[in-house]
Amino acid sequence: MELIKRPRRLRGGETIRRMVRETRMDKSSLIYPLFAIDGENIEEEIPSMEGQYRYSVDRLPYELERLSKAGVSSVMLFGIPEHKDEVGSQAYARDGIVQRALREARKQFPDLYYITDVCMCEYTSHGHCGVLCGHDVENDSTLELLSKTALSHVQAGADMVAPSDMMDGRVAAIRQILDKNGYKETPIMSYAVKYASAFYGPFRDAAGSAPSFGDRKSYQMDPHNSREGIKEAVMDVEEGADIIMVKPAMSYLDLVTRVKEATNVPVAAYSVSGEYAMVKAAAKMDWIDEERIMCEMAVSAYRAGAQIYLTYYAKELAKCMDEGRIG
């Protein structure tokens, strides 16, 4: 009698399934994106991202406490300033919203790990990610402002900076200014593989960062291209990036795998606002099981090769890990 191959032997019960699990996750790999806004006593829900809020600096510690209790130890800070101008001066101001949020956060919760998004789009009056020359974003003059922003974040208490602008050469420029000012040990997580994606819509609502004209296709990547993503990742590692991010996550997991194979640094995947909003909307209609979908999306990112996962579901995923429903 011919021997029957029986892979089901390793699926017969929960204990054996967990024993042979190929993809394993841990709360320490989760990063929670957090929006800080100018003003006082503000904790306002973002309409297109149910369950996500904008926090004024005085309210921010309440959310940091919830994150800490959930076991989520890392946050990514985004700033929403009251005043915007052509050159995004609040991005690198000593009293800018992110800088003030960092100082308060470090004072209240010094053991959390603070990463800052480094970009100009939330701070410019035109909503683009750099300095304009006519209707074009001028690459090289933007590098100086991005570098100043990164330095100001680290001086205010950031543990890591994460440039998301997609200007050529910005990792090298930031690495140079940080090193020059004595911050040689501060890591850079580069949004190296960032696509011009429709999945960002709710974030632009949250941060008030939609461009006032045109789009960002001249600096963010064409969703049709994958080899270009590898080129961007390799270049940023050569410039000094310590971690490479792929954004968005769900529709670009092939790039997570390819970047992991092409580089020797940790790879992060950002499950962006559109992914979160779609799950929330479908769950509200009782069309899907929100928790199972949330967990399955996370597993898929780690299975593809991500070692770090940025997600608006960080607290919920941490709870699922604690309770053994994912991990």
Side-chain angles (χ1 to χ4, degrees):
M1 180 180 174
E2 185 179 351
L3 182 67
I4 299 175
K5 295 180 174 63
R6 299 187 186 275
R8 287 182 56 187
R9 292 189 188 112
L10 301 183
R11 304 176 201 152
E14 182 62 19
T15 300
I16 187 66
R17 287 195 295 270
R18 292 179 68 86
M19 183 189 300
V20 301
R21 187 162 287 169
E22 297 174 28
T23 302
R24 298 182 184 272
M25 297 171 288
D26 185 87
K27 289 187 293 185
S28 63
S29 65
L30 299 172
I31 299 174
Y32 183 67
L34 197 52
F35 299 96
I37 189 169
D38 271 326
E40 293 182 359
N41 199 32
I42 298 172
E43 189 170 328
E44 59 184 16
E45 190 170 29
I46 299 162
S48 56
M49 298 176 67
E50 181 183 339
Q52 303 302 310
Y53 295 80
R54 306 178 188 94
Y55 298 95
S56 54
V57 171
D58 58 315
R59 300 296 300 177
L60 196 63
Y62 294 96
E63 179 62 5
L64 294 176
E65 183 176 18
R66 289 186 284 265
L67 287 165
S68 184
K69 286 181 176 178
V72 178
S73 58
S74 301
V75 298
M76 172 81 83
L77 274 174
F78 296 88
I80 307 167
E82 186 175 358
H83 301 292
K84 304 186 180 193
D85 56 36
E86 286 288 307
V87 293
S89 59
Q90 284 298 299
Y92 42 88
R94 188 184 183 283
D95 63 347
I97 178 60
V98 166
Q99 291 81 352
R100 285 185 285 113
L102 278 167
R103 287 192 286 270
E104 183 64 22
R106 291 224 74 93
K107 184 168 66 176
Q108 299 264 7
F109 291 90
D111 294 333
L112 293 181
Y113 194 85
Y114 298 99
I115 308 162
T116 58
D117 177 79
V118 176
C119 195
M120 308 302 296
C121 62
E122 297 110 303
Y123 304 91
T124 54
S125 52
H126 46 75
H128 279 283
C129 298
V131 179
L132 292 183
C133 180
H135 275 192
D136 296 322
V137 175
E138 214 293 308
N139 191 94
D140 293 3
S141 57
T142 299
L143 298 183
E144 180 183 356
L145 302 186
L146 293 168
S147 301
K148 286 171 62 177
T149 300
L151 179 60
S152 73
H153 288 179
V154 176
Q155 289 172 333
D159 294 295
M160 179 189 293
V161 291
S164 64
D165 54 283
M166 288 299 287
M167 297 299 116
D168 294 336
R170 89 268 203 218
V171 172
I174 291 171
R175 184 72 275 158
Q176 183 176 14
I177 197 170
L178 292 182
D179 289 358
K180 183 179 177 182
N181 284 273
Y183 297 105
K184 294 181 175 65
E185 303 303 319
T186 300
I188 297 173
M189 175 163 59
S190 173
Y191 290 68
V193 189
K194 182 178 179 180
Y195 285 87
S197 171
F199 281 100
Y200 304 148
F203 175 91
R204 292 174 183 174
D205 174 36
S209 62
S212 59
F213 65 88
D215 54 41
R216 295 177 178 149
K217 292 181 180 179
S218 68
Y219 42 102
Q220 294 179 1
M221 288 175 47
D222 184 344
H224 297 77
N225 296 351
S226 60
R227 287 186 300 171
E228 183 182 10
I230 306 306
K231 178 175 72 174
E232 290 278 6
V234 170
M235 286 171 56
D236 281 7
V237 171
E238 290 172 351
E239 289 182 21
D242 301 283
I243 299 170
I244 293 296
M245 185 197 297
V246 176
K247 181 182 179 185
M250 187 167 63
S251 293
Y252 296 88
L253 295 181
D254 59 318
L255 268 300
V256 172
T257 301
R258 293 191 62 188
V259 168
K260 184 179 183 182
E261 292 169 349
T263 66
N264 61 354
V265 300
V267 179
Y270 193 153
S271 182
V272 298
S273 59
E275 299 173 45
Y276 175 85
M278 288 194 302
V279 173
K280 278 288 182 185
K284 199 170 184 177
M285 297 297 292
D286 289 326
W287 291 341
I288 60 170
D289 182 322
E290 181 177 5
E291 183 179 282
R292 289 186 63 193
I293 292 286
M294 168 192 79
C295 291
E296 194 170 331
M297 287 168 61
V299 168
S300 69
Y302 288 94
R303 189 183 65 240
Q307 294 150 275
I308 299 164
Y309 191 52
L310 294 91
T311 172
Y312 299 96
Y313 277 120
K315 286 178 291 187
E316 293 84 353
L317 284 169
K319 182 180 180 183
C320 288
M321 291 177 187
D322 282 340
E323 296 175 357
R325 297 197 298 277
I326 186 176

